[in-house]
Structure formats: structure tokens, C-alpha cells
Amino acid sequence: MRKPVIVGNWKMNLGPKEAKNLLTEVKALDLDNSVEYGFCVPSIDLLVAKEVLEGTNINYGAENMYFEESGAFTGEISPAMLTEVKATYVIIGHSERRQYFKEDNELINKKVISALEHGLTPILCVGETLEEREANKEEEVVKEEVVKGFEGIKEADKVIIAYEPIWAIGTGKTASAEDADSMCAYIRKLIEELYGKESAEKIRIQYGGSMKPSNVKELLAKENIDGGLIGGASLKASDFEQLVNFKK
Ligand code: PEP
């Protein structure tokens, strides 16, 4: 039985003061502990997250990292810095990083390997653009992202995969629960081909793309969707509460 995992991605929103307010509000909520949950926050908020959340069931992590240990990489943060602040997750290869910062599968793979070596849980994002879907290329694109993203990785199920159709991110358009489930099933099949049935049954695959209180139940009722990576709806405590408490 895979434990559902709901993770917020704040993107470039909320500075330390707002972060402290929101996390303090979330900490006071009655959240379902049969679900794993947390927030990936801008790096500048990580210390605030540690201060507010350390010792609670609310995990936290980063939205990106570089794969090197330390050195002359101006503007980057390292996996060792993330473990120092007791981060759990790190999002790797979000479509916004692929699109605006030109991250490719090779770089993303190095980041996934490095995150695992440091005991972090990478949330590897994959997904197709609208043009790719309209050209029926969604499986081809996602296959390349999964196969290249997992190159050289031994323990696949230590990674969380987020299937995020790019046309559904931040647009208010959600993939239908059937389409989202069938892509998550396809990804699970790829993992089975690469790592065998046991890993495929264990690995958690989130859906991301305008997931919100009104559609969470339908999406998470699907067999292959094990949680959500949530942008907009993770910026409000009451929305996040309804997402985590989707079983209630
Ligand atoms: C995301 O940031 O990964 C995301 C899915 O955003 P939103 O929920 O706003 O579509």
C-alpha cells in the first residue's frame, strides 16, 4: 500500500515573513497522518521552515538544488546545505526549470543522483507540453524524461515522480482523472521495465497541474495516482488542509 504524498510547491512566492505566517497556520491544523505531506519552499525560507516545522509531521524541502557538494557555483544551493537544514524533499526538473533555465535530462539526472546520495527525497517532475500532447507524443516525451532521469539509479522507489502535464500547471486546466491516471500507469510500467514489479508497486507517482480542493478526491481515487504536487493551492492554509484531508 503506497502512502499518499501531498507536497506544496510555492515557486517564487512568499518571503520569510509570509512563510512563517503560513507554516504557523498549517501547523495548527488537524491534518490526516495517514497521508505524508509537506512544502517545497524558496531557499530563503528553509531556515524559517526548520524553525517552525522541525519535530512536526510537516516535511519541508527545496524547489531546486545543484548537484555539486560546494564550490564556485554562484547562486546555487548544495545538497549538503539542504541536509544541514534537515530538508526532506527537493524538487528536481520542474517544467519551469526545464523551460526558463534550460535544464536538460542529463543535468536533472545528476541532481537526482546527488539528492539520493545525500539522503534527500527527489521529486522528479516529468510531463508533456500541449503541442506534444496534441501530436500524441506524450508517452514518447515522458519516457525519455523517465529513462534519462533514472540513469544510474539503483533504488528507484526512493524517488517520487511527479507527472505534470505542462499545459495544466498554473492554468486552472486539470487533466481529466482518467488521462492523469493512464499517464501515471504508463510511468509505472516504465519503472517496471527498468526495475521490476516490486519497485513499480512501491514507487509513488504524484499528479501535478491545477490540483485543488474541488478535484483532489477524484484524482486521488485513481489507482496509479499517489498524491499531488501542488502550486497555487499550497499558498493558502485552508486549501492545503482540504488537499491533505482528502479522505475525510
Ligand atoms: C506545480 O507548481 O508543480 C503545479 C502543479 O502548479 P499548480 O498546482 O499551480 O498548477
Side-chain angles (χ1 to χ4, degrees):
M1 201 44 194
R2 298 181 293 269
K3 189 172 186 176
V5 55
I6 302 276
V7 178
N9 169 23
W10 286 356
K11 312 192 188 206
M12 200 171 70
N13 295 297
L14 310 184
K17 208 194 281 177
E18 291 166 310
K20 189 167 187 170
N21 289 341
L22 178 56
L23 295 177
T24 305
E25 220 183 307
V26 172
K27 198 164 113 170
L29 298 171
D30 183 16
L31 298 176
D32 180 354
N33 284 319
S34 68
V35 174
E36 181 182 319
Y37 48 86
F39 294 92
C40 288
V41 303
S43 325
I44 198 160
D45 295 335
L46 281 165
L47 274 175
V48 166
K50 180 175 186 291
E51 182 194 318
V52 180
L53 303 179
E54 197 176 359
T56 72
N57 285 328
I58 309 169
N59 297 315
Y60 55 92
E63 299 173 11
N64 179 35
M65 61 164 225
Y66 197 53
F67 62 86
E68 294 281 6
E69 200 61 35
S70 63
F73 303 102
T74 302
E76 295 295 311
I77 57 166
S78 75
M81 292 171 187
L82 295 183
T83 54
E84 187 179 331
V85 298
K86 300 201 162 59
T88 298
Y89 312 116
V90 56
I91 299 174
I92 308 268
H94 191 278
S95 61
E96 288 149 18
R97 299 228 43 101
R98 293 179 190 257
Q99 184 184 349
Y100 303 128
F101 303 98
K102 308 293 170 229
E103 294 198 10
D104 61 17
N105 287 323
E106 195 186 330
L107 173 65
I108 288 163
N109 173 246
K110 286 184 180 153
K111 293 185 178 194
V112 175
I113 292 172
S114 174
L116 288 171
E117 279 171 359
H118 286 83
L120 295 160
T121 299
I123 301 178
L124 171 64
C125 300
V126 299
E128 79 285 355
T129 62
L130 187 58
E131 299 74 58
E132 288 160 346
R133 177 160 280 259
E134 282 171 353
N136 293 319
K137 286 193 167 155
E138 64 272 22
E139 290 192 351
E140 192 185 312
V141 171
V142 165
K143 181 175 183 177
E144 188 172 358
E145 290 174 339
V146 171
V147 171
K148 293 195 170 158
F150 276 85
E151 227 166 77
I153 287 161
K154 291 200 180 72
E155 293 171 293
D157 54 52
K158 296 233 159 87
V159 178
I160 296 172
I161 300 176
Y163 167 62
E164 302 207 303
I166 295 166
W167 46 272
I169 300 177
T171 58
K173 286 185 202 156
T174 317
S176 71
E178 289 68 33
D179 284 348
D181 186 52
S182 94
M183 282 306 286
C184 291
Y186 174 69
I187 293 167
R188 203 175 298 288
K189 194 177 104 236
L190 291 173
I191 295 297
E192 185 173 343
E193 283 164 16
L194 293 168
Y195 293 95
K197 209 171 178 59
E198 202 182 316
S199 295
E201 269 164 18
K202 267 197 194 158
I203 197 165
R204 291 182 296 174
I205 305 174
Q206 298 173 315
Y207 165 77
S210 302
M211 193 185 265
K212 45 191 178 259
S214 60
N215 59 26
V216 64
K217 272 191 208 305
E218 192 191 358
L219 286 159
L220 295 193
K222 293 289 177 192
E223 193 186 334
N224 286 289
I225 306 178
D226 305 317
L229 186 60
I230 322 282
S234 71
L235 296 168
K236 247 176 87 185
S238 59
D239 283 353
F240 190 75
E241 177 181 27
Q242 291 177 69
L243 290 166
V244 171
N245 290 345
F246 71 95
K247 294 181 193 170
K248 292 186 179 172

